[in-house]
Amino acid sequence: MKIRNILISIATAAMSLTAVSCDAFLDMQPSSSANVEGAIEAPSDATAIIRGVMRKMTSPTTYGRNIFLYADAKGGDLTIYSVGRGADDLYRFQHSETSGTYSGFWSNLYSYIMNMNAVLAEIDKLEAAGKTGFDNVKGQAYLLRAMFYFDLVRMYGLPYNYKPDSYGVPSITSVAGFDAQPTRATVKENYTQIVKDLDQAVSLIGKSNPLTMPNYYAAKALQARVYLFMEDYASALAAAQEVIGSGKYSLYTNDEWASSWSEGPGKESIFVLGIDAVSDNGTSSLGYYYLPKKYKSASTAMGWFFASDYFLDRLGEDPDDVRWGVMESDEYAADFKVDHKGSCLKYSWYDASAGKITTANSITLIRLSEMYLIAAEAALHAGTKDDAATYLNAIRKRSPNLAPADASTISVDMILSERSKELFGEGHRFFDMMRLDRTVEFNDDLLDINVTRRGKTIDRTNGMIVLPISRDEMNANPAISSQQNEAYR
């Protein structure tokens, strides 16, 4: 890993915050001080650091855009209009250790992790000295660290249920020194640490549910997601059921679903990345990457990605599916005068009253619909098909003309199809296809996209399903130079 970047983050994880308000801290780099030691004296100081990291997470290089694009662009539900507009390295798998590395995932997520490590280390010192009241923020740090590691190991390591003893990512859970040379842990070791962190989180965080801060139900929901990837179906089901049964959240009705995306976080939102006018990424936002240049006033939209025919055919199984409500005609439709609603309006929409595109839209990291889909899949594997069908039908009813699932018809493929339709554009598809050992087919033929690195299809036996560690990272940490992912050696 790029030790310079990471250790700067460790040593400078917080400013001396005793005279700095939380609101002011949001506008600061969370790793811009000379020394973290002594920066935390009260829970509010630690909370300020957490808020600062959450603000950094809105960057388009991580959760503000690219982490979502990573799984969407590689999963077959998206295609690109042309080569060269940008970010098409993801779609075309144009990665090497010197180009198309997306090394910002590695350096930024480790920077966030080191901030969490610094917070936890300082809290441990204060608690050892007899200070109390840190449980909630301590649990929040564990939750975020677990999420960052989960996303790292999914991008740089093979699926847990495929090769758990293969290389994952370095597991660093304490403040390291400048001479540290961490090597890669195994995928299994990474997941063990993630589960441990989430156990800590749920034991410490209170049960209030602030949407834009790490909360107890976000920790349970992330547990459900992680256990699903580990194929620990009993634990995944229990975690998802706790969130569903909490009474804190409820599903949108069919009449509410489409409009909910333009109304901000709502009753399905469990954990939200708050984006406002200050943190708005504008034309670099996730929403603008899914909008065509010829959509209303969106002439500055990137328009780099739109739905593949494969996804549109899936959604088209029911022309009255409410999820058509967030799909709009794309650039392909405009140029070829055809009906092709490939643009996704989940993250930006046309504000008729203002006559412009709105992009300052918060991103929901985890929502209730996913919990129902996890519960359905976990219950199916647990052998309770009636329960699985009940959970699935809560989401499947968004296609009113499709027959409800029952114990005789429900299958993993039916659930996978529903996950595609419901979670489109939310950063799940590629990871789902890989953990379920499915082959991804790409809609290159729609516009004769030139693809040189991968074929028409890809599956998890292809080493390019993980990212390379960049040459800069290996030069900065020679200890991992012999641990490059196999496809890039």
Side-chain angles (χ1 to χ4, degrees), residues 413-460:
D413 284 338
M414 183 184 287
I415 296 168
L416 179 60
S417 176
E418 200 61 42
R419 284 181 66 90
S420 168
K421 290 186 282 189
E422 178 67 18
L423 303 177
F424 178 72
E426 297 179 53
H428 294 275
R429 182 64 173 177
F430 182 64
F431 297 130
D432 282 342
M433 296 293 279
M434 294 301 99
R435 70 177 174 83
L436 291 171
D437 195 15
R438 299 298 196 268
T439 297
V440 177
E441 182 176 4
F442 296 92
N443 198 184
D444 303 329
D445 47 328
L446 182 64
L447 286 160
D448 295 322
I449 299 300
N450 179 29
V451 178
T452 57
R453 287 280 291 177
R454 61 154 173 80
K456 171 74 169 171
T457 63
I458 198 167
D459 62 36
R460 70 187 193 180

Side-chain angles (χ1 to χ4, degrees), residues 160-233:
Y160 179 91
N161 62 354
Y162 178 43
K163 292 185 177 180
D165 294 323
S166 59
Y167 284 131
V169 296
S171 182
I172 308 169
T173 58
S174 61
V175 177
F178 280 92
D179 57 349
Q181 294 282 298
T183 55
R184 297 176 74 178
T186 67
V187 169
K188 185 175 182 180
E189 288 168 339
N190 287 147
Y191 272 80
T192 298
Q193 181 60 51
I194 291 163
V195 169
K196 182 178 178 182
D197 279 357
L198 288 174
D199 285 343
Q200 289 276 38
V202 298
S203 71
L204 293 167
I205 301 178
K207 288 196 175 182
S208 64
N209 58 324
L211 291 179
T212 57
M213 287 293 286
N215 62 77
Y216 174 85
Y217 294 103
K220 294 302 297 185
L222 186 56
Q223 272 189 331
R225 187 185 288 177
V226 170
Y227 282 131
L228 185 72
F229 275 71
M230 297 176 71
E231 296 186 344
D232 182 346
Y233 297 118

Side-chain angles (χ1 to χ4, degrees), residues 261-264 275-277 280-291 295-301 344-363:
W261 290 97
S262 62
E263 294 170 355
I275 294 178
D276 55 20
D280 179 18
N281 293 314
T283 57
S284 295
S285 68
L286 182 61
Y288 256 42
Y289 276 42
Y290 290 155
L291 281 181
Y295 174 66
K296 299 187 185 294
S297 65
S299 59
T300 56
C344 177
L345 304 184
K346 283 186 174 180
Y347 305 106
S348 56
W349 60 92
Y350 184 71
D351 184 344
S353 63
K356 64 179 183 179
I357 301 296
T358 296
T359 58
N361 191 15
S362 296
I363 293 176

Side-chain angles (χ1 to χ4, degrees), residues 354-376:
K356 64 179 183 179
I357 301 296
T358 296
T359 58
N361 191 15
S362 296
I363 293 176
T364 298
L365 299 171
I366 309 176
R367 63 188 180 93
L368 186 63
S369 293
E370 183 192 352
M371 295 301 103
Y372 276 86
L373 293 164
I374 288 174

Side-chain angles (χ1 to χ4, degrees), residues 77-137:
D77 280 356
L78 290 181
T79 188
I80 57 176
Y81 193 77
S82 65
V83 173
R85 286 189 174 182
D88 55 56
D89 287 348
L90 293 173
Y91 177 79
R92 298 191 296 145
F93 287 69
Q94 288 286 111
H95 307 299
S96 74
E97 65 179 37
T98 57
S99 65
T101 63
Y102 282 81
S103 59
F105 291 144
W106 183 285
S107 58
N108 287 322
L109 290 179
Y110 270 111
S111 174
Y112 304 160
I113 286 168
M114 293 310 159
N115 277 275
M116 296 306 99
N117 289 348
V119 167
L120 291 168
E122 285 300 293
I123 290 174
D124 283 347
K125 291 179 187 177
L126 293 167
E127 289 181 332
K131 291 195 175 184
T132 61
F134 290 93
D135 281 0
N136 191 67
V137 70

Side-chain angles (χ1 to χ4, degrees), residues 6-15 29-36 115 118:
I6 291 174
L7 294 181
I8 287 171
S9 298
I10 297 171
T12 65
M15 298 186 69
Q29 302 290 339
S31 56
S32 58
S33 75
N35 200 321
V36 68
N115 277 275

